[in-house]
């Protein structure tokens, strides 16, 4: 019997169902086979069509029945108000960077690189090999796979100047992604109700993690070259804070990279104040005209706690990050991560280690630099041509984003909505400010899909701006 025979039977059964009361039982499959002179497979296919349309339902061991019509009714969840009580911390709303979008729009909002920028062949091969390892059926140590710990320590140690002690594998804690690492660090190094310095603008995920923990954020203005050391020192003195969260290399969202002199000044202040610098090296693999120079490599006294993720550069499915800390802080961090997640999947750790230790990984990173440069420059040139009233203070030397300032009178919510109607999805910059925004900004991701549409996107942005 052909598919048309199956559809013919389904149509006959739809007519039968339309005249039957809810709950009526359909004839058995055997009876339908005899009635329509069809094979059992064809009859089952017709029944599956009706099930998929919500007209009938099966009850295993009993039969197939006409579905009852369920009338939608409002539910009263008011009892939960008293059970939950008032939230201890008001959570920021989910960032626009997390939005899923259809394929027929130009997406400049996401925080992740496009699939074609990822080492897909390496990842697939690594997962295949990992599936044959003991990691499939075993639990890894709480601190992580020793070989992966050693790799993170070695990578940072390669940047360590002579005269300083490089980190060891025992200083590393493997995490299920950097976002959980931020929550752990804010909880263990700062604590609820206590102040922490943070660049402004800064990564929205860090702002969210701080809100979840109950940390009181102290914004430090930061431009395309980083923050002012005097502002940092003054904030430490005024607030009594003992931690500063920062992204010294290719900061999200503005792409800032600290100069060596600025890094030395901030390290000196952190040491003098007896504080921690929480260094989020999120874009370590995304240098374009320069490479990432981790501050943690220049400190062996335990003041810098270093966080390095592989999720964005290897694969969103490989949620693995390394955290490097020394002294009692390391022990406290490990205890917290163990209580939260117990351990990280050995399969993911094995696959991550496999990818980054392949000779082809270095080749991929070099190629990635060239691809990011081409995408960044195309978007920059397109914006300068089609949206001249938008201001780009600097072209980032690495990372994934442009930080674009719009005229002060721009209604940012309406602007983003009008761009979306025209087919361009944007991330409004308000999410990246730990306090009130200091202007009208957009964060545009140049590593997303379909870079050939960047000129069209810039043209739409310019047209919408002209109406505001």
């Amino acid at each position: 019997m052909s598919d048309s025979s199956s559809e013919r039977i389904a149509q006959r059964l739809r007519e039968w169902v339309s005249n039957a009361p809810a709950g009526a039982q359909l004839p058995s499959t055997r009876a339908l086979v005899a009635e329509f002179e069809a094979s059992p497979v064809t009859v089952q296919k017709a029944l599956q069509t009706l099930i998929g349309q919500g007209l009938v339902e099966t009850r295993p061991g009993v039969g197939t029945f006409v579905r009852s019509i369920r009338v939608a009714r409002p539910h009263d969840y008011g009892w939960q108000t008293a059970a939950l009580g008032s939230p201890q911390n008001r959570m920021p709303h989910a960032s626009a960077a997390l939005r899923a979008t259809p394929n027929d729009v130009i997406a400049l909002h996401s925080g992740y690189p496009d699939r074609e920028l990822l080492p897909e062949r390496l990842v697939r091969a690594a997962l295949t090999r990992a599936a044959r390892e003991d990691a499939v059926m075993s639990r890894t140590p709480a601190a992580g796979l020793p070989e992966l710990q050693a790799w993170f320590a070695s990578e940072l140690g390669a940047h360590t100047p002579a005269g300083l002690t490089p980190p060891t594998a025992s200083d590393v804690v493997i995490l299920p992604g950097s976002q959980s690492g931020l929550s752990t660090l804010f909880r263990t190094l700062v604590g609820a109700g206590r102040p922490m310095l943070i660049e402004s603008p800064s990564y929205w995920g860090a702002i969210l993690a701080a809100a979840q923990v109950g940390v009181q954020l102290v914004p430090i203005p930061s431009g395309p070259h980083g923050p002012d050391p005097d502002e940092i020192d003054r904030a430490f003195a005024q607030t009594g804070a003992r931690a500063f969260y920062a992204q010294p290399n290719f900061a999200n969202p503005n792409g800032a990279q600290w100069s060596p002199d600025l890094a030395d000044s901030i390290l000196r202040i952190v040491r003098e104040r007896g504080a921690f610098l929480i260094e989020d090296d999120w874009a370590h693999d995304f240098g374009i005209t320069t490479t990432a120079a981790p501050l943690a490599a220049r400190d062996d006294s335990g003041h810098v706690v270093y966080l390095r993720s592989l999720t964005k550069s290897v694969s969103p499915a490989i949620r693995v990050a390394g955290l490097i800390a020394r002294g009692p802080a390391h022990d406290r961090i490990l205890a917290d991560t163990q209580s939260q997640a117990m351990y990280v999947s050995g399969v993911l750790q094995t696959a991550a280690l496999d990818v980054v230790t392949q000779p082809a990984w270095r080749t991929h990173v070099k190629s990635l630099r060239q691809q990011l440069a081409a995408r960044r420059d195309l978007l920059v040139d397109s914006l300068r041509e089609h949206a001249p009233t938008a201001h780009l203070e600097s072209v980032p030397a690495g990372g994934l984003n442009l930080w674009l300032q719009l005229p002060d009178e721009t209604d940012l919510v309406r602007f983003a909505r009008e761009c979306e109607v025209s087919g361009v999805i944007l991330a409004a910059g308000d999410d990246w400010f730990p306090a009130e925004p200091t202007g009208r900004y957009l964060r545009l991701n140049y590593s997303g899909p379909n870079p050939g549409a960047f000129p069209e996107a810039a043209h739409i942005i310019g047209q919408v701006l002209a109406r505001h």
Side-chain angles (χ1 to χ4, degrees):
M1 302 290 288
S2 64
D3 289 344
S4 60
S5 298
S6 174
E7 176 54 35
R8 177 177 56 82
I9 296 172
Q11 179 58 38
R12 292 278 299 277
L13 290 176
R14 273 193 290 268
E15 295 172 359
W16 188 92
V17 167
S18 65
N19 296 315
Q25 184 173 7
L26 274 69
S28 67
T29 300
R30 181 178 298 177
L32 293 175
V33 166
E35 179 181 350
F36 294 110
E37 298 181 349
S39 71
V41 172
T42 302
V43 169
Q44 283 296 333
K45 191 172 182 179
L47 289 173
Q48 286 299 323
T49 299
L50 268 62
I51 292 171
Q53 294 171 346
L55 299 177
V56 299
E57 59 186 357
T58 59
R59 300 173 191 172
V62 180
T64 304
F65 298 83
V66 178
R67 284 194 67 178
S68 301
I69 299 176
R70 294 180 173 87
V71 179
R73 62 181 179 85
H75 295 277
D76 181 9
Y77 299 118
W79 66 270
Q80 292 189 3
T81 301
L84 291 171
S86 179
Q88 294 183 353
N89 303 305
R90 292 287 178 181
M91 293 295 105
H93 62 81
S95 172
L98 294 179
R99 285 185 58 188
T101 58
N103 295 328
D104 59 347
V105 300
I106 306 172
L108 300 177
H109 70 294
S110 176
Y112 285 84
D114 186 34
R115 180 172 176 170
E116 68 179 29
L117 297 177
L118 301 176
E120 182 171 348
R121 181 180 60 82
L122 291 178
V123 172
R124 290 185 179 277
L127 286 169
T128 299
R129 285 189 287 268
R132 296 195 292 264
E133 299 289 335
D134 291 341
V136 172
M137 301 301 295
S138 62
R139 180 177 68 84
T140 58
L145 197 68
E147 296 85 353
L148 186 57
Q149 289 178 283
W151 181 85
F152 276 111
S154 175
E155 184 190 56
L156 184 59
H159 296 274
T160 302
L164 294 181
T165 304
T168 65
S170 61
D171 296 322
V172 180
V173 178
I174 304 300
L175 305 168
S178 61
Q179 189 63 30
S180 65
L182 292 176
S183 296
T184 285
L185 289 173
F186 297 166
R187 190 163 44 243
T188 56
L189 303 184
V190 185
R194 299 177 65 182
M196 181 183 74
L197 277 53
I198 185 171
E199 293 176 289
S200 180
S202 187
Y203 171 46
W204 67 265
I207 298 171
L208 175 63
Q212 290 173 321
V213 173
V215 166
Q216 301 299 311
L217 294 178
V218 180
I220 304 295
S222 187
H225 304 294
D228 183 344
D230 291 337
E231 291 283 350
I232 296 171
D233 193 44
R234 188 178 303 113
F236 272 128
Q238 290 177 347
T239 66
R242 288 293 179 266
F244 173 31
Y245 168 81
Q247 296 180 334
N249 288 286
F250 319 132
N252 181 358
N254 61 12
Q257 184 178 32
W258 298 0
S259 68
D261 288 343
L262 176 59
D264 286 340
S265 296
I266 293 177
L267 278 175
R268 176 182 53 78
I269 292 169
V270 168
R271 289 167 182 151
E272 290 176 352
R273 293 292 178 180
F276 291 103
L277 172 63
I278 300 172
E279 179 182 7
D280 185 353
D281 195 12
W282 76 280
H284 185 89
D285 300 311
F286 300 136
I288 298 177
T289 56
T290 64
T291 57
L295 267 69
R298 306 164 70 171
D299 173 73
D300 59 2
S301 59
H303 283 281
V304 182
V305 177
Y306 179 74
L307 186 59
R308 155 84 156 109
S309 175
L310 296 175
T311 301
K312 281 187 168 64
S313 54
V314 173
S315 167
I318 307 293
R319 290 199 57 79
V320 171
L323 188 155
I324 299 179
R326 310 193 202 201
H330 170 274
D331 300 334
R332 186 173 295 188
I333 289 166
L334 177 57
D336 185 87
T337 58
Q338 190 171 8
S339 68
Q340 296 296 317
M342 297 184 69
Y343 58 89
V344 179
S345 164
V347 172
L348 294 184
Q349 292 189 63
T350 300
L353 179 64
D354 187 319
V355 171
V356 298
T357 54
Q358 293 290 333
W361 168 250
R362 293 188 178 183
T363 303
H364 166 74
V365 172
K366 290 180 181 178
S367 173
L368 178 61
R369 175 183 292 241
Q370 297 172 351
Q371 294 180 72
L372 288 177
R375 287 164 170 260
R376 179 201 63 184
D377 295 346
L378 176 59
L379 185 55
V380 168
D381 293 343
S382 299
L383 288 168
R384 286 173 174 169
E385 178 181 357
H386 298 292
T389 59
H391 177 60
L392 182 66
E393 188 170 356
S394 68
V395 177
L400 305 177
N401 312 298
L402 299 182
W403 188 235
L404 194 69
Q405 185 172 12
L406 306 183
D408 290 342
E409 63 273 14
T410 305
D411 182 333
L412 200 55
V413 173
R414 186 162 66 91
F415 174 85
R417 185 169 58 247
E418 290 180 13
C419 284
E420 183 169 346
V421 169
S422 299
V424 178
I425 307 296
L426 305 168
D430 290 2
D431 291 346
W432 281 265
F433 286 94
E436 290 79 8
T438 58
R440 305 291 183 261
Y441 289 91
L442 300 176
R443 195 204 69 167
L444 305 179
N445 180 3
Y446 50 77
S447 72
N450 193 15
F454 286 176
E456 180 185 353
H459 181 67
I460 291 172
I461 291 172
Q463 284 184 322
V464 176
L465 269 179
R467 298 198 295 266
H468 280 247

